Amino acid sequence: MMDSEVSNADICRVCRSEGVADRPLFHPCICTGSIKWIHQECLMQWMRYSRKEYCELCGHRFSFTPIYSPDMPRRLPLKDLAAGLLSSIATAVKYWFHYTLVATAWLGIVPLTACRIYR
Ligand SMILES: [Zn+2]
Ligand SMILES: [Zn+2]
């Protein structure tokens, strides 16, 4: 009779079953209502089948943050920091080399050319 009460239970948009303890429902995109929830393996299966990483209804790229969040602190931010530092040092060295080359060229070639013009 009351359809709105029936749809209150959160069900997976793929297999239409509810989330349980070992198969929790995730909310990977910004869709709302009855298509909001999906099982992790249902989403993985859908992504493998459709070859899409985003929701075709809302266009939002599926977020796996709730699934991968326990691994986040182990992502070695020190390594990223070192890589960023190395790349900035490499850029600085490149610019230094470039300007040294330009300066050498100007200091060496220009007086030589000037000498030739004067002769
Ligand atoms: Zn499912
Ligand atoms: Zn969506």
Side-chain angles (χ1 to χ4, degrees), residues 76-93:
L76 291 172
L78 201 73
K79 203 180 155 192
D80 290 346
L81 206 76
L85 201 71
L86 263 175
S87 95
S88 66
I89 286 170
T91 310
V93 167

Side-chain angles (χ1 to χ4, degrees), residues 13 27-32 35-36 54-60 62:
R13 70 203 259 183
H27 178 206
C29 67
I30 54 175
C31 283
T32 51
I35 53 163
K36 177 180 175 178
Y54 56 88
C55 174
E56 61 182 355
L57 293 164
C58 65
H60 187 80
F62 287 127

Side-chain angles (χ1 to χ4, degrees), residues 9-12 15-20 23 25 39:
D10 296 329
I11 55 162
C12 173
C15 65
R16 297 279 155 193
S17 64
E18 288 177 39
V20 286
R23 285 180 85 216
L25 287 167
H39 291 116

Side-chain angles (χ1 to χ4, degrees), residues 114-119:
C115 271
R116 280 195 190 176
I117 289 165
Y118 275 117
R119 275 182 192 176

